[in-house]
Amino acid sequence: MTTAVARPIDPAAPTTAASKIFNFPRNTWYVAAWDHEVTGKQPLARTVADRPLALWRNSEGRAVAMADACWHRLAPLSKGKLFGDEIQCPYHGLRYNSAGRCTSMPAQETINPSATVPSYPVVERHRYVWVWVGDPDLADPASVPDMHQMDSPDWAGDGETIYAPCNYQLVLDNLMDLTHEEFVHSSSIGQDELSEAEFDVSHTDRGVTVTRWMRNIDAPPFWLKNMRDKFPGFSGKVDRWQIIHFEAPSTICIDVGVAKAGTGAPEGDRSQGVNGFVMNTITPETARTSHYFWAFMRNYRLESQTITTQLRQGVHGVFGEDEEMLAAQQSAIDANPDHEFYSLNIDAGGMWVRRILDRMLQAEGLPSAAAAK
Amino acid sequence: MAVNTQTWWQQGRVVETSDLAKGVRRVVLAPDRPVHAAPGTHVDLRLELDGHVRKRSYSVLRSEDGGRRITLGVQLAASSRGGSRHMHGLEVGDVVEMTGPVQSFPLGVGADRYVLVAGGIGVTALVAMADALRRRGADYTLVLAGRSRRVMAYLDELVETHGDRVRVFVDDEDVHLDVETLVGEIAGSPAAARTEMYMCGPIRLMDAIRRAWVARELPEPNLRFETFGSSGAWAAEEFVVHLPQLDRSVSVGKDSSMLDALEDAGVDVMWDCRKGECGICQVKVLDVSGRIDHRDVFLSRQQKETYASLCLCVARAARGESGSGSADPAAVTLHLP
Ligand code: FES
Ligand code: FES
Ligand SMILES: [Fe+2]
């Protein structure tokens, strides 16, 4: 059964929130795909939170997420064909409608009344197809994380998907603490001041915010280029910010930018600067693999497709460096099963994320640590 | 609405019993591997009946505390094949062999309107669905039909919980459920194509609804039901199966199915669902003396009328109206594959 059991949270229960292989809640929305990946031509196979799905679009254009296993002999429906509102199993031709109900059994005159494939709630929002693989009765479209910059006319940009060979929590840790930029991304966005600057952490029941300001510093290469796109010929010191917004279970939108030093950006006037949002939402595929959807959105020079492409390629390069580190970290974790995680001051944001997720897991009666394979 | 057809066995302890209505017993089981049972699920029980182990399916009326308490409602069937009598004899502390929840009747999401139709004890499959729909704030109607209020389990409780969403039809009060009207209303409503009907009850009621549904050209996949093949057009009676290939005849008692009787007699027969859905147990009929009471949902109406084949797991032979009075039991002659 997929239906999770709600259990009261025991405040005295020991917490293992620093588990290396963190479990994932099921009663929540996860991005399954970019909207353009789901079509009415060919089903798409994608696993979300350990559930293999066949994603497709019916004749009304509505995205559908169904278990990727035929009721009959479990052949993957994602290898089947689409006929308007129905998907046909590639093996013996059983057809299902978008609710997962079998509509035709070619070899007999009746339809077996039990023939059904689970169909999961789907919402399309912010250029993504979100699915809910937990208890469908709890699926509230209002709880889709806020990623409005993705499709707002005030913002422009684009992104990609990284297939990250690691537990989703490692990606969240990576994004909640950006001091690693100094070491992992030294040629683009890294600089010494990142580790040195003070930061603030605040949290709510579903969110965590980490704010870091660096004043009167040199702009690293990536930001200098962006400043010059908006202010041709710019040179000089900048005030730089990183404001990391986490929203449960796994969406992190990072407000980043630089402005001409001393022009009031920390006080709220960003007119003399460039502002971007790094939009990240991470979908656990299995306990050790993740789909990492990201985009870089900006609020200046909206008309320039050149800048959109350059930014996408730039961030692609930066995230490639993270991906390498995350894969290496996961291998080291697997190779050292007896070694624990320890925490540093810089992990405060990431630890709040774990606390929130831990409570979601407890509410579903699930342990913090995912089952080892 | 996960579908789970996977079956694993565990032990369940009887923790409570009570009478729900005349002839309807409530049995609460505490399984040793609790799993929440979603609306529409049933559990299979392995029962020792007259020295034979038999599998019987019962809808989960209610799943509480993450499946630590599974409530079943069991009607003492007049034509019981032994299962319901056994269930009515259970006492607190007894232990039964049971499966985890099996889902072959899942409640869908996203329909504009839901109509749940329960005939008699069929209500047990729909109580949890009605609760789920109410929690979701869905648009639904619960139709309850029965012979008399005394035998209708959960009637008062359902009326209290669901108020004017409940429509009650009681035969001995002369308020009969008119299937044509019910289905006609659905067909005439603006949500016709997006209304799902879930039904559970006697096969005759379900057949009538199916016919009306098809006649009104409502989308067939929107009509959802589950059958355990336990009710037919005629009451169960003893009959005989002739097997000319094997040169023998087997008598089928009132309490046993044809499949059970053949297996008990050592005849090798193939089957899977044992509830008249899959057609695996289908065999050719060579001759009939009396009527065939098919009770399956695998054969089409036309196939049933030709009497060319039947499903061993649920079909029975009966003397029928015409044969009443005759002393000889009904008989079928079968060709085994
Ligand atoms: S496995 Fe899909 S039709 Fe047989
Ligand atoms: S065993 Fe499935 S119809 Fe008889
Ligand atoms: Fe990074």
Tab-separated table of all heavy atoms in Angstrom, chain A residues 174-175 177-195 214 217-226 240-242 254 256-258 278 296 311 314-322:
chain	number	residue	atom	x	y	z
A	174	ASN	N	23.931	20.952	-0.057
A	174	ASN	CA	24.813	21.712	-0.954
A	174	ASN	C	24.264	23.115	-1.209
A	174	ASN	O	25.003	24.094	-1.233
A	174	ASN	CB	24.953	20.924	-2.269
A	174	ASN	CG	25.626	21.712	-3.383
A	174	ASN	OD1	25.006	22.575	-4.003
A	174	ASN	ND2	26.888	21.424	-3.633
A	175	LEU	N	22.936	23.202	-1.374
A	175	LEU	CA	22.336	24.490	-1.714
A	175	LEU	C	22.071	25.364	-0.491
A	175	LEU	O	21.937	26.584	-0.616
A	175	LEU	CB	21.027	24.265	-2.479
A	175	LEU	CG	21.203	23.640	-3.865
A	175	LEU	CD1	19.872	23.146	-4.403
A	175	LEU	CD2	21.826	24.653	-4.828
A	177	ASP	N	24.087	25.740	1.995
A	177	ASP	CA	25.329	26.367	2.446
A	177	ASP	C	26.189	26.659	1.241
A	177	ASP	O	26.697	25.746	0.585
A	177	ASP	CB	26.085	25.454	3.394
A	177	ASP	CG	27.525	25.940	3.485
A	177	ASP	OD1	27.709	27.165	3.672
A	177	ASP	OD2	28.434	25.124	3.311
A	178	LEU	N	26.363	27.940	0.948
A	178	LEU	CA	27.083	28.295	-0.281
A	178	LEU	C	28.544	28.632	-0.033
A	178	LEU	O	29.233	29.094	-0.934
A	178	LEU	CB	26.352	29.435	-0.993
A	178	LEU	CG	24.913	29.055	-1.408
A	178	LEU	CD1	24.204	30.239	-2.047
A	178	LEU	CD2	24.900	27.869	-2.357
A	179	THR	N	29.036	28.381	1.176
A	179	THR	CA	30.472	28.637	1.378
A	179	THR	C	31.300	27.717	0.491
A	179	THR	O	32.452	28.009	0.200
A	179	THR	CB	30.908	28.411	2.846
A	179	THR	OG1	30.624	27.060	3.219
A	179	THR	CG2	30.201	29.366	3.791
A	180	HIS	N	30.697	26.612	0.042
A	180	HIS	CA	31.467	25.705	-0.814
A	180	HIS	C	31.849	26.357	-2.149
A	180	HIS	O	32.730	25.896	-2.840
A	180	HIS	CB	30.690	24.401	-1.052
A	180	HIS	CG	29.569	24.530	-2.042
A	180	HIS	ND1	28.286	24.829	-1.682
A	180	HIS	CD2	29.559	24.421	-3.395
A	180	HIS	CE1	27.518	24.874	-2.775
A	180	HIS	NE2	28.279	24.642	-3.822
A	181	GLU	N	31.173	27.450	-2.477
A	181	GLU	CA	31.494	28.122	-3.753
A	181	GLU	C	32.963	28.510	-3.824
A	181	GLU	O	33.585	28.469	-4.879
A	181	GLU	CB	30.628	29.388	-3.920
A	181	GLU	CG	29.175	29.056	-4.185
A	181	GLU	CD	28.324	30.296	-4.459
A	181	GLU	OE1	28.871	31.415	-4.397
A	181	GLU	OE2	27.125	30.123	-4.710
A	182	GLU	N	33.500	28.891	-2.640
A	182	GLU	CA	34.879	29.334	-2.595
A	182	GLU	C	35.825	28.220	-3.026
A	182	GLU	O	36.887	28.479	-3.600
A	182	GLU	CB	35.194	29.770	-1.152
A	182	GLU	CG	36.543	30.378	-0.975
A	182	GLU	CD	36.783	30.785	0.484
A	182	GLU	OE1	35.792	31.089	1.194
A	182	GLU	OE2	37.938	30.769	0.902
A	183	PHE	N	35.436	26.970	-2.774
A	183	PHE	CA	36.328	25.852	-3.046
A	183	PHE	C	35.948	25.072	-4.295
A	183	PHE	O	36.799	24.610	-5.038
A	183	PHE	CB	36.364	24.937	-1.817
A	183	PHE	CG	36.643	25.731	-0.570
A	183	PHE	CD1	35.609	26.154	0.259
A	183	PHE	CD2	37.946	26.133	-0.291
A	183	PHE	CE1	35.875	26.937	1.365
A	183	PHE	CE2	38.212	26.917	0.824
A	183	PHE	CZ	37.170	27.335	1.660
A	184	VAL	N	34.641	24.952	-4.510
A	184	VAL	CA	34.189	24.144	-5.649
A	184	VAL	C	34.067	24.986	-6.919
A	184	VAL	O	34.303	24.506	-8.013
A	184	VAL	CB	32.833	23.464	-5.316
A	184	VAL	CG1	32.316	22.658	-6.504
A	184	VAL	CG2	32.974	22.560	-4.097
A	185	HIS	N	33.703	26.259	-6.747
A	185	HIS	CA	33.441	27.098	-7.923
A	185	HIS	C	34.391	28.286	-7.971
A	185	HIS	O	33.976	29.416	-8.226
A	185	HIS	CB	32.000	27.606	-7.900
A	185	HIS	CG	30.989	26.533	-7.629
A	185	HIS	ND1	30.880	25.411	-8.413
A	185	HIS	CD2	30.043	26.406	-6.668
A	185	HIS	CE1	29.888	24.635	-7.936
A	185	HIS	NE2	29.380	25.223	-6.868
A	186	SER	N	35.686	28.038	-7.723
A	186	SER	CA	36.624	29.155	-7.553
A	186	SER	C	36.772	30.010	-8.809
A	186	SER	O	37.065	31.197	-8.715
A	186	SER	CB	37.978	28.625	-7.088
A	186	SER	OG	38.351	27.541	-7.917
A	187	SER	N	36.518	29.419	-10.001
A	187	SER	CA	36.777	30.217	-11.205
A	187	SER	C	35.576	31.040	-11.661
A	187	SER	O	35.678	31.835	-12.577
A	187	SER	CB	37.204	29.282	-12.341
A	187	SER	OG	36.126	28.413	-12.640
A	188	SER	N	34.398	30.869	-11.044
A	188	SER	CA	33.218	31.568	-11.564
A	188	SER	C	32.547	32.444	-10.508
A	188	SER	O	32.452	33.670	-10.666
A	188	SER	CB	32.222	30.543	-12.085
A	188	SER	OG	31.969	29.556	-11.083
A	189	ILE	N	32.101	31.827	-9.428
A	189	ILE	CA	31.341	32.590	-8.428
A	189	ILE	C	31.993	32.543	-7.060
A	189	ILE	O	31.522	33.155	-6.114
A	189	ILE	CB	29.885	32.061	-8.331
A	189	ILE	CG1	29.876	30.540	-8.133
A	189	ILE	CG2	29.076	32.461	-9.542
A	189	ILE	CD1	28.494	29.958	-7.921
A	190	GLY	N	33.085	31.785	-6.935
A	190	GLY	CA	33.726	31.647	-5.622
A	190	GLY	C	34.574	32.860	-5.289
A	190	GLY	O	35.090	33.547	-6.165
A	191	GLN	N	34.642	33.183	-4.002
A	191	GLN	CA	35.572	34.193	-3.524
A	191	GLN	C	35.723	34.051	-2.007
A	191	GLN	O	34.846	33.494	-1.347
A	191	GLN	CB	35.126	35.616	-3.908
A	191	GLN	CG	33.764	35.998	-3.399
A	191	GLN	CD	33.309	37.347	-3.949
A	191	GLN	OE1	32.148	37.622	-4.023
A	191	GLN	NE2	34.261	38.193	-4.349
A	192	ASP	N	36.830	34.524	-1.485
A	192	ASP	CA	37.159	34.335	-0.069
A	192	ASP	C	36.069	34.853	0.862
A	192	ASP	O	35.799	34.265	1.905
A	192	ASP	CB	38.447	35.099	0.307
A	192	ASP	CG	39.632	34.608	-0.499
A	192	ASP	OD1	39.481	33.578	-1.203
A	192	ASP	OD2	40.689	35.259	-0.440
A	193	GLU	N	35.475	35.980	0.489
A	193	GLU	CA	34.555	36.652	1.404
A	193	GLU	C	33.346	35.778	1.769
A	193	GLU	O	32.680	36.016	2.765
A	193	GLU	CB	34.047	37.966	0.787
A	193	GLU	CG	35.113	39.052	0.689
A	193	GLU	CD	35.953	38.968	-0.582
A	193	GLU	OE1	35.868	37.933	-1.294
A	193	GLU	OE2	36.703	39.904	-0.861
A	194	LEU	N	33.057	34.736	0.921
A	194	LEU	CA	31.891	33.894	1.175
A	194	LEU	C	31.971	33.211	2.537
A	194	LEU	O	31.006	33.182	3.303
A	194	LEU	CB	31.783	32.820	0.092
A	194	LEU	CG	31.233	33.307	-1.233
A	194	LEU	CD1	31.621	32.363	-2.354
A	194	LEU	CD2	29.730	33.442	-1.142
A	195	SER	N	33.126	32.644	2.825
A	195	SER	CA	33.266	31.921	4.091
A	195	SER	C	33.397	32.868	5.256
A	195	SER	O	33.065	32.524	6.385
A	195	SER	CB	34.487	31.011	4.055
A	195	SER	OG	34.402	30.162	2.956
A	214	MET	N	27.701	40.393	1.529
A	214	MET	CA	29.128	40.702	1.478
A	214	MET	C	29.255	42.093	0.883
A	214	MET	O	28.851	42.312	-0.250
A	214	MET	CB	29.865	39.691	0.599
A	214	MET	CG	29.919	38.308	1.216
A	214	MET	SD	29.782	36.990	-0.013
A	214	MET	CE	28.011	36.927	-0.295
A	217	ILE	N	33.032	44.430	-2.067
A	217	ILE	CA	34.013	43.429	-2.493
A	217	ILE	C	34.143	43.483	-4.012
A	217	ILE	O	33.350	44.139	-4.699
A	217	ILE	CB	33.557	42.005	-2.089
A	217	ILE	CG1	32.175	41.704	-2.714
A	217	ILE	CG2	33.505	41.853	-0.562
A	217	ILE	CD1	31.720	40.276	-2.553
A	218	ASP	N	35.140	42.759	-4.528
A	218	ASP	CA	35.262	42.646	-5.981
A	218	ASP	C	34.250	41.625	-6.473
A	218	ASP	O	34.033	40.605	-5.823
A	218	ASP	CB	36.673	42.159	-6.351
A	218	ASP	CG	37.713	43.236	-6.085
A	218	ASP	OD1	37.397	44.422	-6.316
A	218	ASP	OD2	38.815	42.887	-5.603
A	219	ALA	N	33.669	41.893	-7.638
A	219	ALA	CA	32.707	40.928	-8.191
A	219	ALA	C	33.475	39.762	-8.799
A	219	ALA	O	34.432	39.979	-9.545
A	219	ALA	CB	31.844	41.591	-9.251
A	220	PRO	N	33.075	38.499	-8.491
A	220	PRO	CA	33.725	37.369	-9.159
A	220	PRO	C	33.321	37.358	-10.640
A	220	PRO	O	32.374	38.048	-11.025
A	220	PRO	CB	33.181	36.162	-8.412
A	220	PRO	CG	31.877	36.609	-7.843
A	220	PRO	CD	32.019	38.076	-7.572
A	221	PRO	N	34.037	36.579	-11.486
A	221	PRO	CA	33.852	36.661	-12.949
A	221	PRO	C	32.396	36.584	-13.417
A	221	PRO	O	31.958	37.373	-14.260
A	221	PRO	CB	34.655	35.464	-13.456
A	221	PRO	CG	35.686	35.208	-12.400
A	221	PRO	CD	35.095	35.635	-11.092
A	222	PHE	N	31.630	35.631	-12.909
A	222	PHE	CA	30.243	35.452	-13.347
A	222	PHE	C	29.437	36.728	-13.108
A	222	PHE	O	28.698	37.194	-13.985
A	222	PHE	CB	29.646	34.278	-12.540
A	222	PHE	CG	28.195	34.000	-12.797
A	222	PHE	CD1	27.794	33.219	-13.867
A	222	PHE	CD2	27.215	34.476	-11.920
A	222	PHE	CE1	26.453	32.918	-14.071
A	222	PHE	CE2	25.871	34.185	-12.127
A	222	PHE	CZ	25.486	33.405	-13.203
A	223	TRP	N	29.616	37.339	-11.940
A	223	TRP	CA	28.816	38.515	-11.610
A	223	TRP	C	29.299	39.766	-12.299
A	223	TRP	O	28.505	40.655	-12.630
A	223	TRP	CB	28.762	38.710	-10.082
A	223	TRP	CG	27.835	37.691	-9.462
A	223	TRP	CD1	28.178	36.675	-8.639
A	223	TRP	CD2	26.426	37.593	-9.690
A	223	TRP	NE1	27.072	35.942	-8.312
A	223	TRP	CE2	25.966	36.479	-8.945
A	223	TRP	CE3	25.507	38.326	-10.448
A	223	TRP	CZ2	24.642	36.078	-8.925
A	223	TRP	CZ3	24.178	37.933	-10.425
A	223	TRP	CH2	23.756	36.818	-9.673
A	224	LEU	N	30.599	39.822	-12.559
A	224	LEU	CA	31.113	40.975	-13.292
A	224	LEU	C	30.510	41.002	-14.693
A	224	LEU	O	30.045	42.025	-15.194
A	224	LEU	CB	32.652	40.888	-13.374
A	224	LEU	CG	33.332	42.112	-13.968
A	224	LEU	CD1	33.012	43.373	-13.152
A	224	LEU	CD2	34.846	41.908	-14.047
A	225	LYS	N	30.419	39.816	-15.306
A	225	LYS	CA	29.834	39.708	-16.650
A	225	LYS	C	28.366	40.156	-16.611
A	225	LYS	O	27.904	40.923	-17.458
A	225	LYS	CB	29.953	38.253	-17.076
A	225	LYS	CG	29.601	37.901	-18.486
A	225	LYS	CD	28.420	37.539	-19.023
A	225	LYS	CE	28.036	37.393	-20.410
A	225	LYS	NZ	26.647	37.651	-20.609
A	226	ASN	N	27.634	39.710	-15.588
A	226	ASN	CA	26.219	40.080	-15.493
A	226	ASN	C	26.054	41.586	-15.295
A	226	ASN	O	25.169	42.210	-15.895
A	226	ASN	CB	25.539	39.331	-14.341
A	226	ASN	CG	25.481	37.836	-14.598
A	226	ASN	OD1	25.644	37.395	-15.734
A	226	ASN	ND2	25.265	37.063	-13.548
A	240	ARG	N	27.344	42.182	-2.489
A	240	ARG	CA	26.839	40.916	-3.019
A	240	ARG	C	25.906	40.248	-2.007
A	240	ARG	O	26.153	40.302	-0.813
A	240	ARG	CB	28.022	39.979	-3.308
A	240	ARG	CG	27.598	38.620	-3.855
A	240	ARG	CD	28.785	37.720	-4.162
A	240	ARG	NE	28.295	36.433	-4.658
A	240	ARG	CZ	29.058	35.381	-4.929
A	240	ARG	NH1	30.363	35.443	-4.743
A	240	ARG	NH2	28.517	34.269	-5.380
A	241	TRP	N	24.830	39.648	-2.502
A	241	TRP	CA	23.933	38.943	-1.580
A	241	TRP	C	23.598	37.531	-2.058
A	241	TRP	O	23.641	37.239	-3.249
A	241	TRP	CB	22.643	39.727	-1.349
A	241	TRP	CG	21.719	39.818	-2.539
A	241	TRP	CD1	20.714	38.957	-2.834
A	241	TRP	CD2	21.703	40.833	-3.552
A	241	TRP	NE1	20.062	39.370	-3.974
A	241	TRP	CE2	20.654	40.514	-4.434
A	241	TRP	CE3	22.484	41.973	-3.794
A	241	TRP	CZ2	20.367	41.299	-5.558
A	241	TRP	CZ3	22.190	42.757	-4.899
A	241	TRP	CH2	21.137	42.408	-5.770
A	242	GLN	N	23.272	36.703	-1.067
A	242	GLN	CA	22.760	35.347	-1.307
A	242	GLN	C	21.676	35.122	-0.267
A	242	GLN	O	21.960	35.086	0.923
A	242	GLN	CB	23.847	34.303	-1.059
A	242	GLN	CG	24.982	34.305	-2.046
A	242	GLN	CD	26.068	33.342	-1.614
A	242	GLN	OE1	26.289	33.149	-0.417
A	242	GLN	NE2	26.759	32.766	-2.581
A	254	ILE	N	17.051	30.587	-4.660
A	254	ILE	CA	18.119	31.418	-4.096
A	254	ILE	C	18.146	32.769	-4.797
A	254	ILE	O	18.354	32.854	-6.014
A	254	ILE	CB	19.489	30.742	-4.221
A	254	ILE	CG1	19.398	29.279	-3.767
A	254	ILE	CG2	20.518	31.493	-3.380
A	254	ILE	CD1	20.720	28.531	-3.880
A	256	VAL	N	19.963	35.828	-5.618
A	256	VAL	CA	21.385	36.172	-5.672
A	256	VAL	C	21.578	37.435	-6.492
A	256	VAL	O	20.775	37.757	-7.370
A	256	VAL	CB	22.226	35.039	-6.310
A	256	VAL	CG1	22.360	33.856	-5.383
A	256	VAL	CG2	21.651	34.607	-7.648
A	257	GLY	N	22.671	38.165	-6.233
A	257	GLY	CA	22.954	39.322	-7.057
A	257	GLY	C	24.063	40.164	-6.486
A	257	GLY	O	24.588	39.904	-5.397
A	258	VAL	N	24.408	41.156	-7.254
A	258	VAL	CA	25.365	42.163	-6.801
A	258	VAL	C	24.846	43.529	-7.252
A	258	VAL	O	24.111	43.622	-8.238
A	258	VAL	CB	26.774	41.927	-7.393
A	258	VAL	CG1	27.340	40.570	-6.983
A	258	VAL	CG2	26.782	42.063	-8.905
A	278	VAL	N	18.154	31.551	-8.478
A	278	VAL	CA	18.498	30.189	-8.865
A	278	VAL	C	17.380	29.308	-8.319
A	278	VAL	O	17.201	29.199	-7.112
A	278	VAL	CB	19.847	29.730	-8.268
A	278	VAL	CG1	20.372	28.533	-9.057
A	278	VAL	CG2	20.855	30.849	-8.266
A	296	PHE	N	17.838	29.300	-14.010
A	296	PHE	CA	18.335	30.600	-13.569
A	296	PHE	C	17.432	31.660	-14.189
A	296	PHE	O	17.330	31.764	-15.406
A	296	PHE	CB	19.798	30.807	-13.997
A	296	PHE	CG	20.415	32.035	-13.363
A	296	PHE	CD1	21.095	31.930	-12.153
A	296	PHE	CD2	20.295	33.292	-13.959
A	296	PHE	CE1	21.652	33.054	-11.544
A	296	PHE	CE2	20.841	34.420	-13.350
A	296	PHE	CZ	21.515	34.304	-12.147
A	311	LEU	N	23.535	32.482	-19.607
A	311	LEU	CA	23.370	32.189	-18.180
A	311	LEU	C	23.120	30.704	-17.952
A	311	LEU	O	23.645	30.102	-17.021
A	311	LEU	CB	22.228	33.018	-17.590
A	311	LEU	CG	22.562	34.486	-17.318
A	311	LEU	CD1	21.304	35.280	-17.002
A	311	LEU	CD2	23.564	34.611	-16.171
A	314	GLY	N	26.378	29.057	-18.356
A	314	GLY	CA	27.259	29.379	-17.229
A	314	GLY	C	26.900	28.555	-15.999
A	314	GLY	O	27.762	27.932	-15.375
A	315	VAL	N	25.609	28.542	-15.672
A	315	VAL	CA	25.178	27.803	-14.482
A	315	VAL	C	25.360	26.300	-14.700
A	315	VAL	O	25.735	25.568	-13.783
A	315	VAL	CB	23.719	28.152	-14.111
A	315	VAL	CG1	23.247	27.325	-12.926
A	315	VAL	CG2	23.600	29.630	-13.798
A	316	HIS	N	25.150	25.865	-15.930
A	316	HIS	CA	25.390	24.452	-16.264
A	316	HIS	C	26.821	24.065	-15.876
A	316	HIS	O	27.053	23.021	-15.261
A	316	HIS	CB	25.156	24.226	-17.758
A	316	HIS	CG	25.566	22.875	-18.248
A	316	HIS	ND1	24.680	21.845	-18.409
A	316	HIS	CD2	26.787	22.379	-18.596
A	316	HIS	CE1	25.327	20.776	-18.829
A	316	HIS	NE2	26.599	21.074	-18.950
A	317	GLY	N	27.763	24.935	-16.215
A	317	GLY	CA	29.166	24.664	-15.881
A	317	GLY	C	29.378	24.615	-14.374
A	317	GLY	O	30.015	23.701	-13.847
A	318	VAL	N	28.807	25.612	-13.675
A	318	VAL	CA	28.962	25.667	-12.217
A	318	VAL	C	28.356	24.415	-11.568
A	318	VAL	O	28.974	23.770	-10.717
A	318	VAL	CB	28.268	26.933	-11.663
A	318	VAL	CG1	28.248	26.910	-10.140
A	318	VAL	CG2	28.975	28.189	-12.172
A	319	PHE	N	27.143	24.048	-12.007
A	319	PHE	CA	26.469	22.904	-11.386
A	319	PHE	C	27.159	21.582	-11.740
A	319	PHE	O	27.043	20.599	-11.005
A	319	PHE	CB	24.985	22.876	-11.759
A	319	PHE	CG	24.160	23.845	-10.940
A	319	PHE	CD1	24.769	24.731	-10.058
A	319	PHE	CD2	22.769	23.868	-11.042
A	319	PHE	CE1	24.018	25.626	-9.297
A	319	PHE	CE2	22.008	24.754	-10.287
A	319	PHE	CZ	22.625	25.636	-9.418
A	320	GLY	N	27.862	21.568	-12.854
A	320	GLY	CA	28.639	20.373	-13.194
A	320	GLY	C	29.679	20.106	-12.120
A	320	GLY	O	29.968	18.946	-11.776
A	321	GLU	N	30.231	21.186	-11.554
A	321	GLU	CA	31.229	21.033	-10.488
A	321	GLU	C	30.586	20.459	-9.228
A	321	GLU	O	31.159	19.617	-8.542
A	321	GLU	CB	31.894	22.381	-10.181
A	321	GLU	CG	32.683	22.928	-11.367
A	321	GLU	CD	33.130	24.389	-11.201
A	321	GLU	OE1	32.492	25.162	-10.442
A	321	GLU	OE2	34.115	24.765	-11.845
A	322	ASP	N	29.342	20.909	-8.937
A	322	ASP	CA	28.630	20.372	-7.776
A	322	ASP	C	28.327	18.894	-7.960
A	322	ASP	O	28.482	18.090	-7.048
A	322	ASP	CB	27.297	21.108	-7.582
A	322	ASP	CG	27.500	22.517	-7.074
A	322	ASP	OD1	28.100	22.685	-6.009
A	322	ASP	OD2	27.061	23.458	-7.776
